[in-house]
Amino acid sequence: MEENILFIASDSSNFLVQSLMSALKKESYNVTFSMASGAFIKDLQTHSDYISPDMILMFLEDIEGTFPDLFPTIKDLVTETTEHKKLYLIGQPSEISHAKEYIEEFLITGVVERPVTSEKVLSMIRTNSLTYVISPSEKSYALDPSKKTLLIVDDDPVYLQALKSWFVKFYNVIAESIGTDAISAAKQNHIDLMLLDYEMPLMSGLEVYRSLKQEPKTAKIPVIFLTGNDSKDVVKEIIIEKPIGYVLKTTPPMVIIQKVMNFLNPPKDPFGHK
């Protein structure tokens, strides 16, 4: 039986929100988006095609100011039947703690602390435990401060491992297969260059790139896109985004290695020009 989800967030165009909603729809959930507003939810309920949700997901980023207005409506939704509906919170620990000031904890089915992945959210809502909590384990990387750091992102484990093996002798290499994990790694570490797979499930390379550009701490990370698709449309879309370059995955390894090394360790000008 198809389950209905009411997804509440401040902005439906947020890349992570879009990725989470897309992942839920692919798993055959019926997802309805709502702005973080009690009035907005009440208006939704007046629509002829409104379906009462089986569960409610609240993406807490940037909605703390709406809590006093929002949570009375949420509480009514959760308790409108004799069997409480499932309520899930997604956010930073401080946001989740603040939310619990406005709604009783026994009404909350589960929480996921950010940084979050679609896999974590899907795992949470498939679990019936009323105390289900996922807290991210901060990844730590043994980075040599004397070396530059290369972040490689690709969902193909074989190609990802191959890329890592080409560069690990020369640089610190962080290898991630999921877009949200790559964003988290970029925020936690100084990245000198990113090799980013253009086509990935859940959160595409293009979405990762645009998300990084929105954050002051990661906006200036140089990115080279990796793609197995050399169609004109794909190349045009990549060029419009203005990365420092792109490389076809069919390119010989030595050419890719040289391109990366030329950027991270540019040849010295024999005449001393800068």
Side-chain angles (χ1 to χ4, degrees), residues 58-261:
M58 297 186 66
F59 190 77
L60 300 177
E61 183 180 25
D62 296 331
I63 72 169
E64 289 188 81
T66 71
F67 285 177
D69 159 70
L70 182 59
F71 275 104
T73 304
I74 296 301
K75 184 175 179 179
D76 289 343
L77 270 178
V78 173
T79 60
E80 69 181 3
T81 59
T82 54
E83 183 179 346
H84 290 172
K85 297 181 179 181
K86 297 174 184 178
L87 171 63
Y88 300 102
L89 306 180
I90 303 168
Q92 301 287 356
S94 60
E95 294 168 336
I96 293 168
S97 178
H98 190 202
K100 289 178 180 179
E101 296 175 13
Y102 292 89
I103 192 163
E104 294 88 337
E105 191 159 355
F106 75 89
L107 295 176
I108 301 171
T109 307
V111 302
V112 173
E113 294 180 5
R114 296 182 63 202
V116 66
T117 65
S118 299
E119 287 85 355
K120 288 180 180 178
V121 173
L122 288 169
S123 177
M124 176 179 65
I125 66 177
R126 289 170 181 151
T127 302
N128 291 320
S129 169
L130 297 181
T131 57
Y132 194 76
V133 178
I134 301 180
S135 298
S137 55
E138 286 279 319
K139 290 185 180 180
S140 59
Y141 306 92
L143 303 181
D144 182 344
S146 67
K147 292 183 177 181
K148 293 185 177 180
T149 299
L150 177 64
L151 174 57
I152 305 173
V153 190
D154 198 296
D155 68 298
D156 181 341
V158 176
Y159 192 64
L160 182 64
Q161 185 56 41
L163 287 168
K164 182 176 180 179
S165 68
W166 299 345
F167 298 107
V168 73
K169 291 182 180 179
F170 310 105
Y171 308 109
N172 295 313
V173 178
I174 298 174
E176 296 291 354
S177 60
I178 299 173
T180 49
D181 287 348
I183 292 171
S184 179
K187 290 180 178 179
Q188 294 173 41
N189 303 276
H190 174 77
I191 306 299
D192 295 287
L193 178 64
M194 178 186 292
L195 297 182
L196 179 58
D197 186 11
Y198 175 79
E199 294 176 307
M200 295 190 294
L202 302 179
M203 190 175 196
S204 72
L206 198 58
E207 290 172 327
V208 172
Y209 180 85
R210 289 171 176 169
S211 181
L212 292 173
K213 290 299 179 185
Q214 290 181 345
E215 296 282 342
K217 188 175 181 179
T218 57
K220 294 184 179 180
I221 293 176
V223 172
I224 295 176
F225 275 108
L226 303 167
T227 178
N229 188 339
D230 63 351
S231 72
K232 291 182 179 179
D233 288 341
V234 168
V235 172
K236 181 179 179 181
E237 190 170 31
I238 290 174
I239 292 174
I240 287 174
E241 296 296 328
K242 298 181 180 178
I244 65 166
Y246 72 93
V247 174
L248 293 176
K249 290 185 177 182
T250 53
T251 302
M254 284 308 302
V255 176
I256 298 176
I257 293 169
Q258 195 61 57
K259 187 178 186 74
V260 169
M261 297 187 77

